[in-house]
Amino acid sequence: MVALVLFQRATGRELWHLALPGQASDKATRDALLDLQDAGKARPDGWARGRKLWCLTKVGHKEAARLLPPGTKLSAVREQAPSAGYDEHALDVAATAGHLTRAGHGSPLTLTTELRHPVPGRTARYADLVLRDPGADVPVLLVEVDRDNETVGQLVEKLSTYTAWCERLAKGADKIRAKAARHQGAAVHDHRHWRTVYPPTGHEGYPPVALVLVPGRKRDRPGTRPLTPEQQAAKAERDHQRLLRRLDAVEDGSAAYWSPRPYPFAGVTAGNYHLALPVVATTLHMLDAHGADAAVWRRFGRDGWHTLTGALDNPDGDRLLAVERRAAAAARRAREQAEREASRPVCTRCEAKLTDAEWDRARWGELVCSSCQQEEADRKRAQRAAADAETAAAEAASAKNTGSWWRRS
């Protein structure tokens, strides 16, 4: 019930991934829905994609609401209107939520739909799905599901709106300090409103946005012959390639929002992601085929496909900056040492280079190394010893002569 109260209507397949992701099939979910129907808490509400749609009754909706934290945004109670069509976009959002949950990213208790992000002077942005799970590998993720019914420009505008929302200052923030913090790495976020709404992302940059693309479904004309399996496979491949080209166009058009800024340091290739909007993208077809924990995510600005956690990481961000700055500091020390060695004086006697201690002593005296100083000291000591010996011998001889004269007298 908790999963169903978030999305209003869903089939057993979407609810399977949300409520019982560990099950091998959706049979247990369908059985649970039948039990809820017998208890008067759920009822069928039409069909979608060959599967039965379900929604909660007023009794089930009220009971499910009590299981959720206060303030959780709930869907409205679905009135009995069998003639009303179903919202395929809502089903795709529920399917995306199910794939994230099954991959270990969030749960029905950490998911919210249609969350408002107001921006002064612009139309508020409602995120299709928001994952908010503090302390998890992916603590926050804003999800936009596109059914191929918006232009590339509209998708780019969505990313610009998210960027503008992330740049909003927190209530009472000092504008001067906030402006100065733009050049202080992570300190920039201490002044931003988004930090009061979402938990820390665990990475540099704003809260990440995920784009999930779905090929638009066109209603077949009456009398149209169904596609053969081969034709369906060919169409699916064409749709997939078209969506990938669409991703390329959105990536190119939104580079101003997701691109890291260059650092003004020589020899640094790391990017400053603190003012960038991390954008990852995939297709619902890839999620269906491989799951959200597989390498099905593309990070705007990078090549290849990655896992979600890998795509959100910034290996060329602060960690690389620290490595490059340590390397630059080591190179600077080596260069300074080489320059010092090149200017190191030599002993004026033996021409050996002076040690640091000898160099310091030499600043107030002669440029002589310790060995030559020791040799000079030994030579002088030997000279003094020889002189002392001569003096002693002379005194001894004088004393002997004086003693002999007295004896003769």
Side-chain angles (χ1 to χ4, degrees):
M1 289 194 301
V2 170
L4 195 52
V5 78
L6 295 175
F7 297 96
Q8 192 179 60
R9 287 198 300 174
T11 71
R13 175 173 287 276
E14 289 82 32
L15 296 174
W16 159 37
H17 290 162
L18 281 164
L20 299 171
Q23 295 292 319
S25 71
D26 62 352
K27 184 179 185 305
T29 306
R30 289 185 282 111
D31 291 342
L33 288 169
L34 292 174
D35 292 339
L36 290 174
Q37 181 182 16
D38 293 340
K41 299 176 182 179
R43 62 177 178 81
D45 192 46
W47 293 78
R49 304 171 189 176
R51 295 188 293 270
K52 185 182 294 184
L53 277 166
W54 291 86
C55 69
L56 293 177
T57 63
K58 290 183 179 180
V59 174
H61 193 280
K62 185 176 181 179
E63 181 174 331
R66 290 198 297 265
L67 302 175
L68 292 168
T72 302
K73 188 176 183 297
L74 307 178
S75 64
V77 177
R78 175 77 177 173
E79 299 296 336
Q80 286 189 317
S83 60
Y86 65 90
D87 185 350
E88 294 206 16
H89 179 267
L91 282 181
D92 292 334
V93 172
T96 301
H99 284 303
L100 289 172
T101 300
R102 195 174 193 189
H105 302 306
S107 70
L109 295 178
T110 64
L111 297 171
T112 308
T113 60
E114 293 297 319
L115 194 61
R116 186 171 183 264
H117 298 80
V119 179
R122 303 176 70 170
T123 303
R125 177 62 55 205
Y126 287 83
D128 291 331
L129 181 70
V130 173
L131 166 64
R132 186 164 31 192
D133 192 7
D137 291 340
V138 181
V140 57
L141 189 67
L142 315 179
V143 182
E144 288 289 337
V145 177
D146 172 61
R147 287 190 50 79
D148 212 3
N149 56 357
E150 293 182 296
T151 66
V152 169
Q154 287 175 313
L155 292 178
V156 172
E157 172 62 18
K158 282 187 176 184
L159 299 181
S160 74
T161 304
Y162 280 121
T163 299
W165 182 81
C166 290
E167 291 178 348
R168 285 184 57 192
L169 294 182
K171 185 177 181 180
D174 187 308
K175 293 183 178 180
I176 296 178
R177 291 185 177 180
K179 184 176 181 180
R182 291 177 65 88
H183 308 287
Q184 299 174 6
V188 67
H189 303 296
D190 296 337
H191 307 272
R192 297 294 173 81
H193 169 70
W194 77 263
R195 287 294 299 271
T196 66
V197 178
Y198 294 121
T201 65
H203 303 289
E204 307 96 308
Y206 299 140
V209 175
L211 297 179
V212 179
L213 271 57
V214 186
R217 300 175 186 270
K218 295 182 179 180
R219 301 292 182 183
D220 294 333
R221 294 179 180 178
T224 302
R225 297 180 62 181
L227 299 179
T228 65
E230 293 77 11
Q231 291 173 329
Q232 291 177 355
K235 181 180 182 301
E237 180 60 24
R238 290 195 302 271
D239 288 340
H240 180 66
Q241 294 303 320
R242 177 170 49 79
L243 293 182
L244 294 184
R245 291 192 295 271
R246 185 172 171 81
L247 280 183
D248 291 338
V250 176
E251 180 178 2
D252 292 341
S254 60
Y257 310 115
W258 53 256
S259 295
R261 276 60 170 174
Y263 281 104
F265 311 130
V268 170
T269 63
N272 179 2
Y273 283 91
H274 290 288
L275 299 176
L277 181 73
V279 181
V280 296
T282 187
T283 68
L284 187 57
H285 172 74
M286 296 179 71
L287 293 177
D288 289 338
H290 307 288
D293 54 346
V296 297
W297 299 91
R298 194 169 95 188
R299 173 73 177 266
F300 279 11
R302 297 183 191 160
D303 295 330
W305 297 91
H306 314 270
T307 62
L308 182 56
T309 53
L312 295 177
D313 195 13
N314 298 316
D316 56 340
D318 279 1
R319 284 176 294 172
L320 179 59
L321 175 64
V323 171
E324 291 182 329
R325 298 197 78 171
R326 286 196 298 268
R332 183 178 64 255
R333 291 192 297 269
R335 183 172 60 254
E336 292 172 350
Q337 182 64 25
E339 293 172 352
R340 177 179 172 84
E341 289 300 322
S343 61
R344 184 181 295 277
V346 296
C347 177
T348 56
R349 298 185 181 182
C350 69
E351 297 186 350
K353 286 191 174 184
L354 302 184
T355 64
D356 290 343
E358 293 169 348
W359 193 355
D360 291 337
R361 290 196 300 269
R363 299 180 191 279
W364 297 276
E366 186 181 4
L367 296 176
V368 180
C369 68
S370 298
S371 297
C372 290
Q373 288 178 348
Q374 185 64 44
E375 289 179 2
E376 179 65 15
D378 292 343
R379 185 181 64 78
K380 289 182 178 180
R381 190 162 47 250
Q383 288 178 345
R384 288 196 300 271
D388 292 343
E390 290 179 3
T391 300
E395 290 177 351
S398 174
K400 181 178 180 181
N401 292 337
T402 302
S404 299
W405 183 79
W406 280 106
R407 282 195 300 270
R408 285 198 303 270
S409 63

